[in-house]
Amino acid sequence: MLTFEQKQAIIEEFPQLTKKEISLKRLNYHFEESLYEKTIVVEKLHPNGNGFVFIGDLLKYEKEATDKGLVNIRDYSAEALREIIGDSIDYLSEEFDDEPVIEVWSDRMQTKLELVYDNRVWNIYHKENLEESFGTREAAVDYLREEGFRPAK
């Protein structure tokens, strides 16, 4: 587990974050350029190493996140901490695209599925039915390939 000081040093590698001291010697780090009302990326970083990173509704972290979109970083490695902070900043600085990205995939039986990127989520549809949702394109493509699908021509 990283120490408080190690986590603080990693967080401060992100120049777009502003440190603010709060009660009990805890720290918050704000992303002032957030496109949304939410600006806190790192919340309640405590001298005991506990703390949270805001990731909103990113499916990539859905198993770890609270219902408020926070992930506890107590046991995070340096690499994982850098990744989640970067994802949080990207999340808060990304505008929703009105036009979804749609890709058609098919298998040997000519069954067609649509891979749709919409509102930060990669969804797989069979006709009008949602089959699966993924936080990353890579995870969605891995699933499709495992199920025998390839990009349609």
Side-chain angles (χ1 to χ4, degrees), residues 34-97:
S34 174
L35 297 177
Y36 305 95
E37 192 172 315
K38 179 72 173 174
T39 64
I40 300 174
V41 169
V42 179
E43 190 169 309
K44 299 177 186 152
L45 181 64
H46 192 278
N48 70 9
N50 204 22
F52 300 90
V53 171
F54 176 75
I55 48 73
D57 58 1
L58 286 175
L59 286 179
K60 181 177 179 180
Y61 299 101
E62 74 177 327
K63 292 180 182 171
E64 302 172 70
T66 67
D67 58 351
K68 293 182 179 181
L70 298 169
V71 171
N72 190 309
I73 57 169
R74 181 178 184 87
D75 297 324
Y76 265 49
S77 68
E79 181 179 321
L81 183 57
R82 284 183 186 95
E83 181 177 351
I84 195 169
I85 291 170
D87 288 344
S88 178
I89 291 169
D90 289 347
Y91 181 87
L92 292 171
S93 60
E94 181 180 290
E95 290 189 50
F96 285 109
D97 190 0

Side-chain angles (χ1 to χ4, degrees), residues 8 10 30 47 75 78 106 116 120 123 147:
Q8 189 176 6
I10 290 167
H30 292 255
D75 297 324
S106 63
V116 179
R120 300 182 178 150
N123 292 317
E147 296 296 319

Side-chain angles (χ1 to χ4, degrees), residues 104-115:
V104 178
W105 290 64
S106 63
D107 65 6
R108 291 185 179 152
M109 305 290 289
Q110 298 306 312
T111 302
K112 303 245 187 257
L113 296 179
E114 288 185 342
L115 175 59

